[in-house]
Amino acid sequence: MDPAVSSVVLVPLLAVLAALLTTAVGRFVKVPLVVFEIVLGLLIGPAVLGWVPKTAGLDALANFGLAFLFFMAGNEIDFAAIGGRRLRRASLTWLISLVVGIVVAALIAGEVIRGVYIGIALTSTALGTLMPVLRDAGELRTPFGRAVTAVGAVGEFGPLLAISLFLSGRKPVPAALVLIGFALIAGGAIWFASRGGHQRFHRLVRATLHTSGQFAVRFVVLVIAALVGLSIALGLDMLLGAFAAGVLCRILLAGAEPADAHHIESKLEAVAFGVLVPIFFINTGIGFDLKALLGDPRALILLPVFLVLLIVVRGLPGSFSAPPGSTVRDRASLTLFTATGLPIIVAVTAIGVREHDLPVGTATALVGAGMLSVLIFPLVALLLRWRSADGGVRPADPDPIAVEG
């Protein structure tokens, strides 16, 4: 079968099959959807059956899916709910992870530059991956879920800043100036959106909400493209622009009527998690270089080492962000959620391999550890959370530290 045809047919087929498998297996145990997407992608990719090759066209769609994943993460974060003490604590624990990660990684790699790449990768948390898991588990608005969201928000935004500062090819001072320039532009747009008074905009959104115009969805895609394009033009990581686009659109669309806002959110979730994001995860499995991993004994040793380091470097510091009254199981669950990372690991290793700063085997081991973290950690974390003595505070109950934050 022609590669283009096989990609067009099999990738959507696997997306549907992954959803069916999640529903079927979910009767017995809750397995995150991305687990099946990655595994099925690996199965049909060059590493196993070879039915779908790695292609530039599929990579482009996957990159847009990755951008939409980070957009949804920025769009779904309620900064009012996770701000204050939660966010300060999460930021402090991430800084601890960054220092420890770079030092430990430099010792393992034997080079500082490799240590920086590996260390930044180890400090990431896949919030965009975890948000659907938390939502499906009914944890998104619990104090526990807000703690995960706060840690995850910093675990996505922090590494993006670190990539822009240290891996952009510029010296730190020029890189910081460029980053400040981007922050001023994005911050100015967010400030303008937060001023309110966008009645004409919301009227246009409402008028096209159930027509072929779909202005809200088209506008969101434009904002993502604009901020991603600005990030790339400034030499920053594109995911920084996608995340900022999510924050901007959340604030701008917050002024819509509640019913309209609900419809818009549903449409964006449909585009993201129904179409684009599955392509990214399936393509991650397709592109996984299993031969490079199996053919490099050092990489095989590093894979479990990196998996453990994700827990030690990222997970354990993150556990200190657990809400008051958390049980031991709650803290262990938060540790595993915090240690779940893949999208930023993929981005960091891609930069390292492209710049010849990171060996292919090491990069593959890191991505493999990230894949295993997505496959294993959320599942175990949910089991621990459900078996917690008190199960945490339910969404209908008041959050005891919401006022303090």
Side-chain angles (χ1 to χ4, degrees):
M1 185 183 293
D2 182 83
V5 176
S6 62
S7 299
V8 168
V9 174
L10 289 178
V11 171
L13 176 61
L14 292 190
V16 172
L17 182 58
L20 292 174
L21 288 172
T22 302
T23 303
V25 176
R27 299 172 184 174
F28 309 100
V29 59
K30 294 290 185 182
V31 180
L33 177 61
V34 298
V35 170
F36 293 108
E37 291 170 346
I38 293 173
V39 171
L40 290 173
L42 180 63
L43 183 64
I44 67 166
V48 183
L49 297 176
W51 291 350
V52 176
K54 190 78 169 167
T55 63
L58 192 57
D59 283 344
L61 282 175
N63 283 334
F64 202 54
L66 178 58
F68 239 94
L69 181 66
F70 273 75
F71 166 83
M72 292 303 295
N75 186 63
E76 292 185 354
I77 294 174
D78 185 352
F79 285 98
I82 68 170
R85 192 167 67 179
R86 275 198 193 92
L87 205 54
R88 290 195 297 270
R89 191 183 300 165
S91 300
L92 177 60
T93 59
W94 181 79
L95 288 173
I96 293 172
S97 295
L98 180 64
V99 174
V100 174
I102 291 177
V103 171
V104 172
L107 291 175
I108 292 175
E111 293 183 16
V112 175
I113 184 61
R114 289 185 187 177
V116 171
Y117 279 97
I118 297 171
I120 292 175
L122 291 175
T123 65
S124 66
T125 298
L127 179 62
T129 305
L130 295 179
M131 292 292 264
V133 175
L134 293 172
R135 188 192 308 109
D136 293 344
E139 291 281 6
L140 206 54
R141 292 187 175 89
T142 65
F144 178 84
R146 288 170 181 163
V148 175
T149 303
V151 173
V154 177
E156 285 207 330
F157 193 66
L160 292 179
L161 293 179
I163 291 171
S164 301
L165 284 172
F166 303 118
L167 306 182
S168 64
R170 300 186 180 94
K171 293 182 179 179
V173 173
L177 293 175
V178 171
L179 192 58
I180 291 172
F182 174 84
L184 289 174
I185 296 172
I190 292 172
W191 171 80
F192 177 77
S194 65
R195 293 181 62 193
H198 307 294
Q199 287 81 7
R200 290 184 179 179
F201 174 82
H202 292 299
R203 281 198 297 269
L204 183 56
V205 167
R206 188 178 306 113
T208 61
L209 199 56
H210 302 289
T211 71
S212 60
Q214 295 295 325
F215 176 76
V217 176
R218 297 183 186 207
F219 178 80
V220 164
V221 173
L222 173 62
V223 172
I224 296 174
L227 287 180
V228 165
L230 177 63
S231 299
I232 295 174
L234 293 176
L236 304 174
D237 192 272
M238 74 164 190
L239 301 181
L240 189 61
F243 190 88
V247 177
L248 171 60
C249 288
R250 177 185 177 88
I251 294 173
L252 184 60
L253 296 173
E257 294 292 329
D260 294 344
H262 176 72
H263 283 301
I264 295 168
E265 183 179 352
S266 298
K267 291 175 186 292
L268 293 178
E269 287 179 354
V271 173
F273 300 116
V275 182
L276 295 171
V277 174
I279 295 176
F280 164 71
F281 284 112
I282 292 171
N283 190 59
T284 298
I286 291 173
F288 185 69
D289 196 344
L290 192 60
K291 290 182 179 179
L293 180 64
L294 297 178
D296 187 346
R298 186 172 183 273
L300 282 174
I301 296 172
L302 284 176
L303 190 150
V305 171
F306 287 148
L307 189 64
V308 172
L309 285 178
L310 282 171
I311 296 176
V312 174
V313 171
R314 183 69 188 119
L316 289 180
S319 68
F320 290 101
S321 295
S326 296
T327 66
V328 173
R329 283 194 175 100
D330 286 337
R331 293 184 181 276
S333 178
L334 182 56
T335 296
L336 291 172
F337 274 129
T338 305
T340 302
L342 179 62
I344 288 180
I345 294 176
V346 172
V348 170
T349 53
I351 295 172
V353 171
R354 185 178 67 240
E355 299 296 326
H356 305 291
D357 291 326
L358 205 60
V360 175
T362 302
T364 304
L366 258 175
V367 173
M371 289 173 61
L372 287 176
S373 76
V374 170
L375 297 176
I376 300 170
F377 292 171
L379 175 60
V380 179
L382 285 177
L383 291 174
L384 288 170
R385 174 64 176 157
W386 291 332
R387 292 178 180 177
S388 177
D390 59 2
V393 181
R394 296 296 97 190
D397 297 326
D399 182 347
I401 62 173
V403 178
E404 297 177 21

